[in-house]
């Protein structure tokens, strides 16, 4: 059975990654999109929102991929599950843990597929790293996720709002990798959040986890390229590094040969399997860590953030 899928919320990631991955997988057919800002011109009918789509094609869609900002995702997912659709949630799956739990319960009660898609968990270094770390004792963990917000979120004001996650929007990608590969649970012991004056969400964050030397540094003020690295030292002296967001694996200084067929193609392949099995997969661990950082983090106000540096 071909899964007739619609994309809800048509921004950067929908255009850059979801449309190509859907079109490359013969198990899916893109049948519609929703956008509040007009027809994005991808060759399928466009509707203003999911309600209008369901009214126009009540038996014409099997699944939705929800690619809006996280704060509105729960309401849209609720509507889709109630209409009997399978649901793929962009990351982070919801704005709160309670919303995620509500959707899990709804999907279970209706026997619907709910998939929280963490694209970084599909990076090619992730499974090999998890295999290398199985059963290991971790001596040191350092996550460094630094990038330029102006490059990766141009003009996206929602990232600065309450529920927008700030620097945790990319940071949660690192956490999704860490929770997938580490043999131990990450517990936040301390957090320092830097919030630009007049904004609600952090531009930088430092996390300290339980463990001898376990930490994370997230920063959106990195003007010169990106640093998306996870370094892990084990008790038996091994050093395992995931670089370039999980695209490269280095063990004891030696680059390892790894292969993958792309984060979003892999994510959609998993979604197709889950739909076929009428199963769900919702990993809330990365969201739990971010929620804990917001719960216990100290806040420091820093310089206001402006999208243009010349202003
Ligand atoms: P974006 O470019 O701002 O697109 C989000 C789209 O959602 C908007 O274009 C808008 O589309 C729709 N939207 C916004 N507010 C809405 C609301 N209140 N109700 C309904 N729809 C609304 O953001 P993005 O970069 O694509 O990110 C979207 C999600 O994907 C985020 O959770 C992000 O973490 C994740 N993601 C982004 C990237 C990336 O590189 N950008 C990578 C991986 C994952 P319409 O105007 O068409 O309605």
């Amino acid at each position: 059975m071909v899964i007739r899928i619609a994309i809800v919320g048509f921004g950067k990631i929908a255009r850059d990654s979801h449309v190509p991955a859907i079109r490359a997988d013969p198990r899916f057919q893109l049948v519609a999109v929703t956008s509040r800002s007009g027809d994005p011109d991808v060759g399928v009918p466009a509707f203003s929102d999911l309600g209008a789509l369901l009214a126009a094609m009540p038996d014409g869609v099997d699944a939705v991929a929800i690619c809006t900002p996280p704060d509105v995702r729960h309401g849209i997912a609720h509507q889709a599950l109630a209409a009997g659709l399978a649901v793929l949630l962009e990351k982070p799956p919801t704005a709160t843990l309670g919303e995620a739990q509500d959707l899990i319960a709804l999907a279970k009660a209706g026997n619907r597929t709910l998939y929280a898609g963490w694209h970084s968990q599909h990076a090619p270094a992730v499974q090999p790293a998890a295999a290398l770390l199985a059963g290991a004792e971790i001596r040191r963990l350092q996550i460094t996720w630094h990038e330029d917000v102006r490059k990766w979120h141009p003009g996206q004001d929602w990232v600065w709002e309450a529920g927008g996650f700030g620097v945790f929007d990319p940071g949660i990608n690192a956490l999704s990798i860490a929770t997938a590969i580490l043999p131990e649970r990450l517990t936040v012991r301390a957090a320092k959040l830097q919030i630009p004056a007049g904004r609600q969400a952090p531009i930088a964050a430092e996390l300290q986890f339980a463990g001898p030397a376990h930490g994370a540094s997230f920063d959106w003020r990195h003007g010169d390229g990106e640093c998306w690295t996870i370094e892990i030292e084990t008790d038996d002296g091994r050093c395992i590094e995931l670089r370039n967001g999980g695209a490269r694996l280095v063990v004891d200084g030696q680059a390892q040969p790894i292969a993958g067929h792309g984060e979003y193609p892999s994510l959609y392949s998993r979604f197709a399997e889950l739909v076929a099995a009428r199963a769900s997969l919702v990993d809330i661990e990365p969201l739990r860590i971010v929620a804990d950082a917001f719960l216990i983090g100290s806040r420091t106000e820093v310089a206001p953030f402006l999208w243009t540096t010349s202003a």
Side-chain angles (χ1 to χ4, degrees), residues 111-165:
N111 194 25
R112 306 293 175 211
T113 292
L114 177 66
Y115 180 35
W118 297 102
H119 65 88
S120 290
Q121 290 185 346
H122 296 263
V126 172
Q127 283 192 8
L132 287 167
L133 290 166
E137 292 282 327
I138 307 302
R139 182 194 294 166
R140 189 178 84 89
L141 163 72
Q142 180 57 42
I143 297 171
T144 307
W145 225 253
H146 294 179
E147 64 178 42
D148 182 355
V149 64
R150 293 184 178 87
K151 174 177 175 182
W152 291 97
H153 293 274
Q156 294 178 359
D157 262 323
W158 61 264
V159 299
W160 298 111
E161 291 165 9
F165 286 73

Side-chain angles (χ1 to χ4, degrees), residues 49-98:
D49 57 29
L50 181 58
L53 184 155
L54 292 171
M57 40 197 301
D59 299 315
V61 60
D62 306 306
V64 285
I66 304 177
C67 302
T68 63
D71 63 334
V72 292
R73 208 169 281 145
H74 169 263
I76 297 167
H78 203 286
Q79 185 181 13
L81 289 169
L85 306 183
V87 172
L88 166 60
L89 302 168
E90 246 301 346
K91 49 68 45 172
T94 46
T96 70
L97 290 167

